[in-house]
Amino acid sequence: GAAALTGWGLTVEGAQFRPRQHDDTPQTYLGVEGVHDLDTVVDAVAGHEAMPRWIASRVARELLGTSAAADELAEVFTASDFSVAALVEAALARGLAGEWEPIVLAPLPWYVIARRVTGATPDLLAAARRLQAAGQLPLFPPNVAGWPGGAAWFTASSLVARANLAAVLAAATPDGEVLAAAHGDVQDLADVLGLPSTGFGEASAEALTEAAAGSERLALALITPEFVIS
């Protein structure tokens, strides 16, 4: 595969093909003979029998927290002529039907959700610095495998950076429903943050009650397990 993709590189303008650096020798890749360029590499990958389930399992783990339904979702993916939209729709339908496991939100999706529910407009540079400290700056993965998931986000450095970013978000939240809820009942705060009807657990509710009402309580709410674990 690497030999067939020689000549391709990244520039400031984007991907660029340099024919003089390309090895056009036919290769055998994933059991397919004659693979020699980008199109034939893609065809070999897309035609491999393991591809539908591999894609389905990745989507399922990301959206449902489990790949238990990967076989069924792979069938949907294949029947739809490999439509990612159809695959995502089928996965979300299973989630709405209760077929999901808890998901630890990575720093970036957590940040996006927190901004959406609070209406906060923090300084982007300050947010970027803290996302980098938390381990997930957009477009800068640690390696070709991408970012880790699950409990890997529970490192001390990542949690401290997330707490600092929560404080930035809380300070940038405009006066209104969210901050008003942060001054009042803890269940009201859970409601405006979009948490399930169960709200905060006993330990989180106690910590929030003891925190200073307002931005400090809101920042703490954003890093409770109930908000970080979806």
Side-chain angles (χ1 to χ4, degrees):
L5 293 175
T6 52
W8 282 99
L10 291 175
T11 67
V12 176
E13 290 77 24
Q16 185 179 68
F17 181 63
R18 302 178 179 89
R20 295 176 62 182
Q21 298 178 6
H22 176 60
D23 178 2
D24 204 46
T25 305
Q27 310 288 336
T28 299
Y29 181 58
L30 297 177
V32 178
E33 297 181 355
V35 174
H36 66 100
D37 59 7
L38 177 62
D39 290 340
T40 50
V41 166
V42 172
D43 288 343
V45 172
H48 196 278
E49 61 181 7
M51 186 276 291
R53 192 186 188 285
W54 191 87
I55 298 292
S57 66
R58 291 295 295 266
V59 170
R61 285 200 303 270
E62 188 70 24
L63 298 181
L64 304 177
T66 173
S67 58
D71 289 336
E72 293 83 354
L73 291 173
E75 293 178 2
V76 172
F77 190 38
T78 302
S80 66
D81 196 24
F82 307 125
S83 166
V84 175
L87 173 59
V88 170
E89 183 178 357
L92 292 176
R94 286 180 172 271
L96 291 172
E99 299 180 35
W100 58 274
E101 298 291 339
I103 300 172
V104 178
L105 294 174
L108 182 58
W110 166 84
Y111 170 73
V112 171
I113 293 170
R115 277 199 60 170
R116 183 176 297 167
V117 297
T118 60
T121 54
D123 177 75
L124 292 182
L125 184 57
R129 285 198 299 266
R130 286 164 175 80
L131 280 171
Q132 185 174 28
Q136 196 176 35
L137 184 65
L139 304 180
F140 289 93
N143 50 55
V144 295
W147 288 281
W153 294 117
F154 287 153
T155 63
S157 59
S158 183
L159 289 174
V160 168
R162 196 185 296 234
N164 290 334
L165 185 49
V168 170
L169 286 164
T173 299
D175 293 338
E177 185 179 10
V178 178
L179 272 183
H183 282 277
D185 185 79
V186 169
Q187 184 57 50
D188 291 339
L189 181 56
D191 291 340
V192 298
L193 290 181
L195 296 181
S197 57
T198 51
F200 296 105
E202 183 177 345
S204 295
E206 182 178 350
L208 289 167
T209 301
E210 295 176 355
S215 296
E216 181 179 325
R217 182 176 294 170
L218 176 57
L220 182 59
L222 294 176
I223 58 171
T224 57
E226 291 80 9
F227 194 82
V228 173
I229 300 175
S230 175

